[in-house]
């Protein structure tokens, strides 16, 4: 009980002060005076009429203090030597365990987004004021979310085409660079991996300037090309890892038995490296769906992409449908990751 009391006392002061201020302001309102004049009991006036209206800004303050409470657990759990997320996060920082740090931050962010998506309020607010599925219903309603549906269609189209072309060019590049010890092969490999090193905004602006210089205007085709460039390194990396684990004796045996290079590629090499290709394709598809910089610079009003649409909604209205979209994306990504893990061993491919 002591850790809870220590953590709660520090946060209770602000809540008490805000509640007192709002109650004093509400009690001066005309409808409260009317309630007094009609002879209502003091308990009924305070609880049923004044307190409900006074708690509106207090709930907002409490929502902001949730983050402070989560941060306070890091100190409290270490002082009282208690196992928990806060202590786990602190030890991960001390040991420079970056995957654990990323995991904690990601889990907290996912919980906040999913919780907010079920709010009854008219704007994004944490913690939510109540439980409701109205924003998911509004999201799947074509008449209410036509622009979001169009942005989703554009994002899926771009992701599908860029991933398809990425599989083709990435697999060819991996086959050409695999086990090649020439210096030019290392240069080419660094060239193909360079989109992962460049800042996203820098690449997006450079792509816009280059395409404009050669006479192309922003369009869906340019977005596909830009997404393919920034996502093909994922396919090259996982495919190259699969090729490096492939036994060269299999290809040599196939050719010694009279099989042509194309037949060996089609019947021996590709089936064995297919899990690596599919793992890279999954990463490329998800990276394309989530890409902001390239879409920001190469999209137009007719080629509105989902991340840009969500960004605009956050800047203008803080529409709760943003949290609903995020919830659907999180669920879809989790389901796809589970499928890829069971079929091709995504974790092992990424580790290799």
């Amino acid at each position: 009980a002591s850790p809870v009391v220590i953590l709660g006392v520090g946060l209770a002061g602000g809540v008490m002060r805000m509640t007192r201020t709002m109650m004093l302001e509400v009690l001066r309102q005309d409808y409260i005076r009317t309630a007094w004049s009609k002879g209502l009991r003091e308990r009924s006036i305070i609880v049923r009429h004044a307190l409900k209206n006074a708690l509106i800004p207090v709930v907002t303050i409490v929502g902001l203090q949730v983050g402070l409470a989560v941060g306070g657990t890091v100190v409290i759990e270490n002082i009282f030597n208690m196992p928990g997320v806060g202590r786990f996060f602190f030890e991960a920082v001390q040991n420079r365990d970056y995957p654990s740090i990323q995991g904690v931050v990601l889990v907290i962010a996912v919980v906040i987004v999913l919780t907010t998506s079920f709010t009854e309020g008219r704007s994004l607010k944490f913690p939510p004021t109540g439980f409701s599925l109205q924003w998911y219903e509004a999201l799947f309603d074509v008449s209410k979310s036509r622009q979001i549906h169009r942005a989703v269609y554009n994002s899926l189209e771009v992701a599908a085409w860029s991933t398809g072309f990425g599989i083709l060019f990435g697999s060819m590049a991996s086959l050409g660079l695999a086990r090649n010890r020439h210096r030019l092969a290392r240069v080419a490999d660094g060239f193909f991996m360079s989109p992962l090193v460049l800042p996203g905004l820098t690449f997006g602006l450079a792509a816009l300037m280059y395409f404009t210089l050669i006479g192309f205007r922003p369009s869906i085709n340019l977005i596909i090309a830009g997404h393919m460039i920034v996502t093909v390194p994922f396919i090259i990396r996982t495919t190259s890892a699969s090729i490096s684990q492939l036994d060269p004796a299999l290809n040599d045996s196939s050719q010694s038995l009279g099989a042509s290079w194309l037949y060996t590629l089609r019947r021996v090499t590709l089936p064995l490296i297919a899990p690596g290709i599919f793992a890279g394709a999954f990463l490329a598809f998800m990276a394309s769906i989530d890409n902001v910089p390239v879409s920001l610079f190469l999209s137009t009003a007719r080629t509105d992409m989902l991340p840009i649409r969500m960004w605009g909604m956050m800047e203008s209205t803080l529409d709760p449908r943003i949290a609903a979209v995020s919830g659907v994306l999180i669920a879809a990504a989790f389901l796809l990751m589970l499928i890829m893990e069971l079929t091709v061993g995504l974790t092992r491919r990424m580790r290799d």
Side-chain angles (χ1 to χ4, degrees):
S2 297
V4 177
V5 173
I6 294 174
L7 186 61
V9 166
L11 303 176
V15 176
M16 293 171 59
R17 185 169 184 176
M18 175 62 69
T19 305
R20 178 182 181 275
T21 302
M22 295 308 302
M23 281 294 294
L24 292 175
E25 182 177 345
V26 170
L27 289 174
R28 298 191 188 102
Q29 300 299 318
D30 293 337
Y31 67 90
I32 298 295
R33 296 173 182 173
T34 302
W36 283 109
S37 65
K38 289 185 176 182
L40 294 179
R41 291 183 302 174
E42 181 179 1
R43 179 184 179 87
S44 177
I45 294 175
I46 296 298
V47 176
R48 297 185 58 184
H49 300 282
L51 186 59
K52 288 183 178 180
N53 294 308
L55 286 181
I56 295 176
V58 175
V59 171
T60 304
I61 297 299
V62 171
L64 296 176
Q65 289 185 339
V66 170
L68 298 177
V70 173
T73 58
V74 178
V75 179
I76 296 298
E77 290 175 1
N78 279 277
I79 292 176
F80 289 91
N81 196 24
M82 297 173 57
V85 177
R87 186 179 178 185
F88 175 79
F89 184 78
F90 180 77
E91 292 178 351
V93 172
Q94 279 188 322
N95 300 326
R96 296 184 179 182
D97 187 359
Y98 299 117
S100 297
I101 297 173
Q102 293 173 351
V104 171
V105 174
L106 182 61
V107 169
I108 294 175
V110 168
V111 170
I112 292 176
V113 169
L114 291 178
T115 305
T116 307
S117 67
F118 295 105
T119 182
E120 285 183 343
R122 308 295 297 181
S123 62
L124 288 175
K125 185 186 301 181
F126 184 84
T129 56
F131 181 84
S132 175
L133 295 174
Q134 60 176 329
W135 300 114
Y136 284 95
E137 296 174 357
L139 176 64
F140 289 103
D141 191 337
V142 179
S143 61
K144 296 180 180 179
S145 305
R146 188 179 304 276
Q147 293 180 333
I148 297 178
H149 289 189
R150 185 178 63 181
V152 170
Y153 175 79
N154 290 335
S155 294
L156 290 176
E157 181 182 4
V158 169
W161 282 105
S162 62
T163 302
F165 285 118
I167 291 174
L168 177 62
F169 295 120
S171 301
M172 294 172 59
S174 298
L175 291 171
L177 297 175
R179 299 171 181 160
N180 193 331
R181 304 304 179 186
H182 198 274
R183 181 178 300 177
L184 291 179
R186 293 197 298 269
V187 173
D189 183 70
F191 174 77
F192 286 125
M193 293 295 113
S194 60
L196 297 180
V197 180
L198 291 175
L201 290 175
T202 302
F203 176 81
L205 179 59
L208 175 63
M209 296 176 63
Y210 174 74
F211 287 133
T212 303
L213 185 64
I214 61 178
F216 290 101
R217 295 181 179 180
S219 63
I220 194 75
N221 294 329
L222 291 187
I223 299 176
I224 293 174
H227 281 217
M228 184 195 69
I229 294 173
V230 299
T231 58
V232 74
F234 297 106
I235 301 175
I236 294 178
R237 184 56 60 207
T238 56
T239 305
S240 298
S242 296
I243 294 176
S244 65
Q245 298 175 359
L246 184 64
D247 189 357
L250 296 176
N251 291 335
D252 296 338
S253 300
S254 176
Q255 294 178 2
S256 65
L257 293 174
S260 64
W261 177 85
L262 182 60
Y263 185 87
T264 302
L265 175 65
R266 182 169 58 89
R267 297 299 298 272
V268 179
T269 305
L270 287 181
L272 293 175
I273 66 173
I277 297 176
F278 291 144
F282 168 75
L283 296 175
F285 184 86
M286 298 306 298
S288 177
I289 289 288
D290 193 45
N291 187 279
V292 173
V294 176
S295 302
L296 178 64
F297 286 101
L298 298 182
S299 63
T300 62
R302 295 183 178 180
T303 57
D304 192 15
M305 308 296 290
L306 181 59
I308 308 303
R309 168 57 52 184
M310 295 174 64
W311 188 1
M313 293 170 65
M314 289 186 64
E315 286 186 327
S316 58
T317 61
L318 287 178
D319 195 323
R321 287 179 299 173
I322 302 172
V325 173
S326 301
V328 173
L329 291 177
I330 291 172
F334 178 78
L335 181 61
L336 290 175
M337 287 183 62
L338 183 61
I339 295 174
M340 295 300 296
E341 182 66 28
L342 295 176
T343 54
V344 302
L346 180 62
T347 304
R348 179 170 56 85
R349 301 290 172 181
M350 294 176 63
R351 189 185 302 116
D352 296 336

